Amino acid sequence: GYDYLLNTDEIFDIIIMDISDPIEAGPGIMLYTKELYEHAKTRLSPHGVFVTQAGAGDAIPPPHSIGDTKQQDTTCFGPIRNTLATVFDCVLPYTMSIPSFGSDWGFVMAYNGHDAAWGTVPHATLDQLIDDAMHDELRMYDGITHTRMFALTKPVRKQLRDDTRIMTKDNPVF
């Protein structure tokens, strides 16, 4: 994926990255850097959207990173959101329940030059947009589900607010 994105001349309306977390020496770590996001931005159409998974989105921060025995914070939701925010005008973190993971999982949507209100669109408006675009009813997604995705819990919002880490090639954080 890394080499393909760096070497393609294609322009995309959407780039979706659903890859492993950016762990040290892991296969995906360079796909989460500011430099990669800057390049991905050049591969997007003017109204293009970049979306990536961003690790666990609940129970943040994990118990091992709080209190007197604080160890390295291994959560990646904050650093991914922060890094994308250095590149894109609009960055919207959201979560979705992933039953096989047994928890909510974080994702981040990023784009340039248009309204950042996708997390607050009225249910009925979203339902109408979905009905207009789809031939069949969606089983798992509607306006209420969409609004819930962007309604982050207080601990998640606090962790995202307090986390200042940015991932670069020279400092991938993890």
Side-chain angles (χ1 to χ4, degrees):
Y2 182 79
D3 287 336
Y4 178 80
L5 191 58
L6 289 181
N7 295 308
T8 187
D9 291 331
E10 290 184 72
I11 300 295
F12 302 96
D13 291 327
I14 188 165
I15 296 173
I16 301 172
M17 288 191 353
D18 188 13
I19 56 177
S20 60
D21 287 353
I23 58 172
E24 183 178 3
I29 197 158
M30 287 298 126
L31 288 164
Y32 290 98
T33 63
K34 179 179 179 181
E35 294 83 359
L36 188 276
Y37 295 156
E38 288 170 338
H39 182 74
K41 181 177 165 181
T42 71
R43 307 301 351 128
L44 287 171
S45 65
H47 295 288
V49 176
F50 182 91
V51 178
T52 186
Q53 76 87 16
D58 65 358
I60 296 176
H64 73 267
S65 68
I66 302 173
D68 296 337
T69 61
K70 185 172 182 168
Q71 300 171 11
Q72 180 182 2
D73 186 350
T74 59
T75 59
C76 57
F77 200 3
I80 291 170
R81 182 212 149 295
N82 297 342
T83 305
L84 283 165
T86 68
V87 175
F88 292 91
D89 297 337
C90 301
V91 177
L92 300 173
Y94 63 98
T95 61
M96 190 71 202
S97 175
I98 307 294
S100 62
F101 290 1
S103 68
D104 278 3
W105 210 249
F107 298 87
V108 183
M109 178 183 351
Y111 50 91
N112 281 319
H114 45 95
D115 195 356
W118 277 106
T120 59
V121 176
H123 304 155
T125 301
L126 286 166
D127 288 338
Q128 188 61 56
L129 288 168
I130 293 167
D131 287 346
D132 292 347
M134 304 303 295
H135 298 294
D136 295 319
E137 181 179 3
L138 298 176
R139 291 184 314 147
M140 303 297 284
Y141 181 77
D142 63 5
I144 292 172
T145 303
H146 178 90
T147 301
R148 179 254 164 272
M149 290 168 38
F150 291 94
L152 302 177
T153 64
K154 186 175 182 178
V156 171
R157 292 191 317 267
K158 181 181 183 323
Q159 196 278 336
L160 291 175
R161 183 191 69 227
D162 293 347
D163 196 324
T164 60
R165 296 172 292 166
I166 305 286
M167 296 184 294
T168 65
K169 284 174 87 171
D170 293 334
N171 182 26
V173 176
F174 300 102

